[in-house]
Amino acid sequence: MNNSVSNTARLIGAGLRALLVLTVICGVLYPLAVTGIAQALFDNKANGSEIKDESGRVVGSSLIGQSYNLPKQNPDDSEEAAEPDLKWFQPRPSNGLGSNSVNQQYSLVLSGATNKAGDNPDLVKLVEDAKAAVIADNSTATYKVEPSDVPADAVTSSGSGLDPNISPEYAKIQVHRVAEQNGLDVQQVEKLVAKYTTGRTLGFMGEPRVNVLELNTALKALTKS
């Protein structure tokens, strides 16, 4: 009987010691080591890939898209469609899940795709309307956007609806409109787009892209200079 109690106590003690050691290693030392390495070697990515303006103020993350719309005439009207602020480069459409119908107390950012088939009439109409809007918004007195110039990402949302990037082709057709709206030379804006265009990862993965938040942050600085 005494041996049984002694063995049980020894096993419980060994288990508690193992629990204590593993808690310290896995719950304290390992997280501290990973956090330290991340902060030392990848501090920007570890802190959310933050983008800062010329004053050092954080304006967002390079991983999450933002909208650039004019204020609503009636902020309480959930049915009122937001109109794009044409001074800025516009991101991809973010139809996604649509407006927040679950919790009206808060203005939530919803992420998701439409999940509609390519031949769905509603999706076809969304794309056609978006294409017409892109052509109308980006055509100026000296520059005409042709239907064949509109890339797919200008009229379709990504899977999340929060894509931070657009294609160089979509940025290109916005250059003249942005230059006109901000009183800038077209060449200035073209150079800005070229500066913030990123090529394929390792030269072969993905597609060339332009981060809209980075581009608009630089555009804001340019208009102030």
Side-chain angles (χ1 to χ4, degrees):
M1 181 70 178
N2 290 336
N3 288 338
S4 177
V5 172
S6 175
N7 289 338
T8 300
R10 188 168 58 253
L11 290 174
I12 291 175
L16 291 174
R17 289 193 298 273
L19 175 63
L20 178 62
V21 170
L22 290 174
T23 298
V24 172
I25 293 174
C26 299
V28 179
L29 298 180
Y30 176 73
L32 285 176
V34 171
T35 301
I37 292 171
Q39 290 293 333
L41 301 179
F42 314 102
D43 62 319
N44 181 53
K45 291 182 173 62
N47 291 313
S49 300
E50 296 173 339
I51 295 178
K52 300 179 180 180
D53 61 16
E54 70 277 6
S55 67
R57 182 174 64 94
V58 175
V59 295
S61 169
S62 64
L63 304 177
I64 301 176
Q66 296 187 15
S67 60
Y68 297 87
N69 296 324
L70 294 169
K72 287 186 175 183
Q73 293 182 353
N74 182 4
D76 297 326
D77 184 2
S78 60
E79 299 299 323
E80 181 183 343
E83 294 293 332
D85 188 342
L86 299 181
K87 293 190 304 182
W88 306 105
F89 283 93
Q90 293 296 313
R92 296 183 66 174
S94 56
N95 300 317
L97 300 178
S99 60
N100 170 31
S101 60
V102 179
N103 189 339
Q104 298 294 339
Q105 185 176 357
Y106 301 101
S107 178
L108 304 179
V109 176
L110 300 178
S111 172
T114 60
N115 290 329
K116 294 176 180 176
D119 58 353
N120 183 286
D122 293 337
L123 180 61
V124 171
K125 186 176 188 307
L126 280 174
V127 171
E128 290 175 345
D129 291 347
K131 189 171 187 177
V134 168
I135 294 172
D137 289 345
N138 293 286
S139 294
T140 68
T142 58
Y143 178 76
K144 172 67 174 176
V145 177
E146 300 295 337
S148 59
D149 297 333
V150 180
D153 64 299
V155 296
T156 57
S157 60
S158 64
S160 68
L162 301 175
D163 195 339
N165 304 313
I166 58 175
S167 65
E169 291 77 20
Y170 187 25
K172 178 182 177 182
I173 65 174
Q174 299 187 62
V175 164
H176 288 77
R177 182 254 301 162
V178 169
E180 181 182 89
Q181 291 281 331
N182 290 281
L184 299 170
D185 291 333
V186 170
Q187 290 76 13
Q188 285 180 290
V189 182
E190 286 177 337
K191 288 180 181 178
L192 207 60
V193 171
K195 181 179 179 180
Y196 288 93
T197 298
T198 303
R200 291 181 173 86
T201 304
L202 299 179
F204 67 93
M205 291 191 295
E207 295 293 332
R209 58 201 178 276
V210 182
N211 188 282
V212 180
L213 179 56
E214 290 180 351
L215 182 59
N216 279 335
T217 301
L219 175 64
K220 183 177 181 180
L222 181 62
T223 57
K224 288 183 176 180
S225 61

